[in-house]
Amino acid sequence: MELELKQLRDRCIADLSAVTELKSLDNVRIKYLGKKGELTIALKGMGKLSNEERPVIGKLANEIREEIESNIMAQKQLLEQQEIEAQIKEERIDVSLPGQKHQAGNLHPLTTIINDLKEIFLGMGFSIAEGPEIEWAKYNFDYLNVPQDHSARDLQDTFYYQDDIVLRTQTSPVQVRVMEEQQPPLRIISPGRVYRFDEIDATHSPVFHQMEGLVIDKGITMSDLKGTLDLFAKKLFGEQTKTKFRPHQFYFTEPSAEMDVTCFKCGGVGCKVCSNTGWIEILGCGMVHPNVLRFCGIDPDEYSGFAFGMGLDRITMIKYGINDLRLLFENDLRFLAQFK
Ligand code: DAH
């Protein structure tokens, strides 16, 4: 019986060391120590032993059981360790491999210009106003003193939704909305999209961008207009920039002017950017017409003000040397990525 037990132990230990997977370990335990296991069955035969033999064999059997159990534990730890090591090996990240590059985007040049302009005017105490792109015809024309028979109202020039609703052709109707809703003193700018019935080419698009400006207070004069816009031009194009005002005609301002700035490229000598004139036309402006103030419920005897409007696409093109307006709207990444 002693030999039989020792052989059983040796077989069990051999079986254990042959186990390579944790889940098979339990099979070995059951095979030897389970209810119908080899050791259990062997011990059932102990009844046949003599009184002297029984305690000796009993002791041995217990020792063997303990030995088998501690062997199972040891094998279990070994296999667990191996499993962890295999997992570490498999999941290891090679930090020396090149990473995947994420392409960072950048602002559209037009957005950059709008941000620059906002910053300049916010710095001068203006706030930002908004108006709808689908606008009452009377806000786009009538309240801005545009005559009933003016050609800008033509179907060839303006997108009509209904007789009295248009896609705004300019940001100027925001002036009307601001004056209707707020009391002077007013100091606002309003950048946004505008629409005109134009064929697309290098300098025209049915959708483009403008920025409106409006100042209303007591005692505002043309010199306030000139001082403000001259400062703005210097901040946008550089300290050396000079401005000049040419008389012009707009229905909602009187007197009206267009403002030119000295070419930021050649400094006024003449080059390709300024078509050899030394000057670049930047915006329209003027003193708000008394009729417009009256239409909007502001007393022209008490208040006066100035307004201005500029084409943002044009300014963007001039500033960045872009020669085709279409590039601003095509969203070609090869173009846009140049403004990083
Ligand atoms: N709305 C004019 C345009 O689209 C631009 C403009 C000129 C706006 C003079 C003004 C202004 O506010 O005073 O051509």
Side-chain angles (χ1 to χ4, degrees), residues 140 144 169-173 175 194 196 208 210-214 225 248-258 281 283-288 306-311:
N140 196 79
L144 289 169
T169 62
Q170 48 187 356
T171 44
S172 303
Q175 289 188 33
V194 299
R196 283 183 202 175
F208 57 105
Q210 287 190 339
M211 194 182 84
E212 198 71 14
L214 176 71
L225 177 157
H248 202 79
Q249 195 259 337
F250 298 106
Y251 288 101
F252 31 89
T253 46
E254 181 60 37
S256 305
E258 277 186 332
E281 183 206 317
L283 53 80
C285 58
M287 301 306 292
V288 179
F306 65 86
F308 52 93
M310 60 189 88

Side-chain angles (χ1 to χ4, degrees), residues 188-240:
I188 61 101
I189 53 163
S190 186
R193 266 190 292 269
V194 299
Y195 302 83
R196 283 183 202 175
F197 214 125
D198 278 324
E199 293 292 337
I200 301 174
D201 64 23
T203 52
H204 294 86
S205 161
V207 187
F208 57 105
H209 299 77
Q210 287 190 339
M211 194 182 84
E212 198 71 14
L214 176 71
V215 173
I216 307 280
D217 203 349
K218 287 179 179 159
I220 298 288
T221 67
M222 190 88 184
S223 60
D224 296 308
L225 177 157
K226 290 178 92 171
T228 305
L229 294 179
D230 186 77
L231 183 60
F232 149 71
K234 287 179 164 52
K235 292 204 173 183
L236 185 63
F237 293 110
E239 276 305 314
Q240 71 295 341

Side-chain angles (χ1 to χ4, degrees), residues 128-295:
I128 294 162
E130 281 186 58
E133 291 171 23
I134 302 169
E135 182 59 283
W136 296 111
K138 60 187 177 190
Y139 282 51
N140 196 79
F141 297 123
D142 301 26
Y143 295 169
L144 289 169
N145 205 32
V146 178
Q148 279 303 329
D149 56 358
H150 193 268
S151 65
R153 295 174 181 252
D154 284 357
L155 291 171
Q156 289 105 307
D157 289 323
T158 303
F159 291 108
Y160 278 83
Y161 177 67
Q162 288 171 192
D163 281 353
D164 56 348
I165 298 176
V166 299
L167 295 187
R168 67 179 182 187
T169 62
Q170 48 187 356
T171 44
S172 303
V174 181
Q175 289 188 33
V176 177
R177 290 182 171 269
V178 169
M179 285 190 272
E180 274 190 347
E181 280 160 24
Q182 298 171 40
Q183 286 305 306
L186 301 172
R187 243 180 301 176
I188 61 101
I189 53 163
S190 186
R193 266 190 292 269
V194 299
Y195 302 83
R196 283 183 202 175
F197 214 125
D198 278 324
E199 293 292 337
I200 301 174
D201 64 23
T203 52
H204 294 86
S205 161
V207 187
F208 57 105
H209 299 77
Q210 287 190 339
M211 194 182 84
E212 198 71 14
L214 176 71
V215 173
I216 307 280
D217 203 349
K218 287 179 179 159
I220 298 288
T221 67
M222 190 88 184
S223 60
D224 296 308
L225 177 157
K226 290 178 92 171
T228 305
L229 294 179
D230 186 77
L231 183 60
F232 149 71
K234 287 179 164 52
K235 292 204 173 183
L236 185 63
F237 293 110
E239 276 305 314
Q240 71 295 341
T241 308
K242 292 192 182 74
T243 52
K244 96 178 162 191
F245 292 81
R246 284 177 290 101
H248 202 79
Q249 195 259 337
F250 298 106
Y251 288 101
F252 31 89
T253 46
E254 181 60 37
S256 305
E258 277 186 332
M259 183 176 91
D260 297 346
V261 296
T262 43
C263 178
F264 64 94
K265 199 85 188 202
C266 64
V269 187
C271 70
K272 238 173 93 180
V273 173
C274 57
S275 315
N276 284 314
T277 61
W279 294 94
I280 299 171
E281 183 206 317
I282 286 298
L283 53 80
C285 58
M287 301 306 292
V288 179
H289 197 291
N291 283 351
V292 175
L293 292 174
R294 235 175 265 123
F295 285 138

Side-chain angles (χ1 to χ4, degrees), residues 108 199-206 313 317 322-332 335:
H108 191 288
E199 293 292 337
I200 301 174
D201 64 23
T203 52
H204 294 86
S205 161
D313 314 274
M317 288 171 72
I322 299 164
N323 58 12
D324 194 319
L325 177 62
R326 288 166 287 201
L327 288 166
L328 292 181
F329 302 118
E330 283 167 351
N331 284 334
D332 187 331
F335 168 73

Side-chain angles (χ1 to χ4, degrees), residues 57-74:
I57 295 297
K59 189 163 171 263
L60 179 66
N62 272 334
E63 281 168 7
I64 286 176
R65 170 180 285 277
E66 276 167 23
E67 199 179 339
I68 289 176
E69 272 170 354
S70 79
N71 267 282
I72 290 175
M73 273 313 276

